[in-house]
Amino acid sequence: MIIAIDGPSGAGKSTVAKAVAKKLGFSCLDTGAMYRAVAWRALQDGADLADEEACGRIAREREVSFGHVAGDPVPRRVFIDGDEVTDAIRTAEIDRAVSPVSAHPAVRKALTAQQQRIGRSGDYVVEGRDIGTVVFPEAAVKVFLTASDEERAHRRVRQNADRGVGSLDFEEVLADIRRRDAHDSARAAAPLKPAADAVHVDSTGHYIEEVIDMICAMAREAGAR
């Protein structure tokens, strides 16, 4: 079974997806980390982020993989061609680089193929921006998770502080979130939008546990054990 969780940056997709995966005994696939890994590799290689051919080649030729702790469905480490990038992909520099890289149709096509190969090997909670519309349109459960711009910026700042990476400036983070929303929604390839049959969930002002329980209930109704 596939549970697809889509939504804009900072909506809490990663936190919710990991918790849902743990509760249901599913594996968790962080597609955003895959795009971030390609963006990191492009920067390391000195590639022009606007060069679709160069970025697409990286996505086709460099395998993104995840490291798991035994018994834990949530990946703890991220690799691209064997190089660990777990912390390196969570910086403000990558926040800025990932949108132009992920907008390239060649990058999206290559990573979609990687995601489908991984996801179809078992029961997965998959989060991103086009999971229910492009990557797994057959997903048993589809959720479009949102929150207000300000709520998302506050969450991202707290997350950055906890990780020790990324900006702690609220206005900077808020501006970046709004920029990414506009960029991701307007791109030609797999724009950010809810699937027609997705359930819309606005987490503004709600405890995250409420959202997690709601999605788990939906999964069980769809046949999850």
Side-chain angles (χ1 to χ4, degrees):
M1 177 184 287
I2 296 291
I3 299 172
I5 303 177
D6 289 309
S9 176
K13 300 187 302 296
S14 181
T15 299
V16 169
K18 290 173 182 178
V20 168
K22 282 186 176 181
K23 283 201 167 191
L24 296 177
F26 283 28
S27 296
C28 188
L29 177 57
D30 183 353
T31 62
M34 299 177 78
Y35 285 99
R36 285 173 174 271
V38 170
W40 176 87
R41 185 70 266 171
L43 289 175
Q44 294 298 304
D45 291 350
D48 180 355
L49 301 186
D51 186 337
E52 180 177 356
E53 182 179 353
C55 293
R57 187 181 309 113
I58 292 171
R60 286 193 305 274
E61 298 178 356
R62 306 298 184 99
E63 181 180 0
V64 181
S65 58
F66 297 91
H68 291 261
V69 174
D72 187 349
V74 179
R76 297 301 179 188
R77 304 168 75 189
V78 185
F79 303 85
I80 182 165
D81 258 11
D83 291 324
E84 182 168 3
V85 293
T86 307
D87 293 329
I89 63 173
R90 301 298 179 182
T91 65
E93 181 182 31
I94 300 301
D95 285 348
R96 292 187 292 270
V98 69
S99 281
V101 170
S102 64
H104 294 309
V107 172
R108 303 202 71 82
K109 181 179 180 180
L111 287 187
T112 291
Q114 290 200 43
Q115 292 156 15
Q116 290 173 337
R117 185 183 68 250
I118 296 170
R120 287 175 177 153
S121 66
D123 293 323
Y124 274 87
V125 181
V126 191
E127 58 96 353
R129 287 167 175 72
D130 63 346
I131 307 306
T133 54
V134 175
V135 186
F136 294 109
E138 76 282 10
V141 175
K142 299 179 186 179
V143 172
F144 193 79
L145 183 62
T146 62
S148 70
D149 295 354
E150 292 77 12
E151 178 90 1
R152 290 187 286 138
H154 280 300
R155 290 176 184 172
R156 181 54 56 84
V157 169
R158 289 196 299 269
Q159 186 179 56
N160 289 348
D162 291 341
R163 290 191 311 230
V165 293
S167 175
L168 301 182
D169 185 289
F170 173 79
E171 294 300 332
E172 179 184 354
V173 172
L174 178 61
D176 183 66
I177 279 176
R178 287 173 172 166
R179 178 191 59 77
R180 288 194 64 188
D181 285 353
H183 191 286
D184 293 348
S185 297
R187 69 187 178 211
L192 168 66
K193 65 177 182 179
D197 53 348
V199 175
H200 291 243
V201 178
D202 187 336
S203 64
T204 305
H206 292 279
Y207 289 112
I208 205 72
E209 289 79 8
E210 293 178 288
V211 176
I212 294 163
D213 289 343
M214 182 188 308
I215 296 174
C216 286
M218 292 167 58
R220 292 187 180 106
E221 286 179 9
R225 292 190 296 255

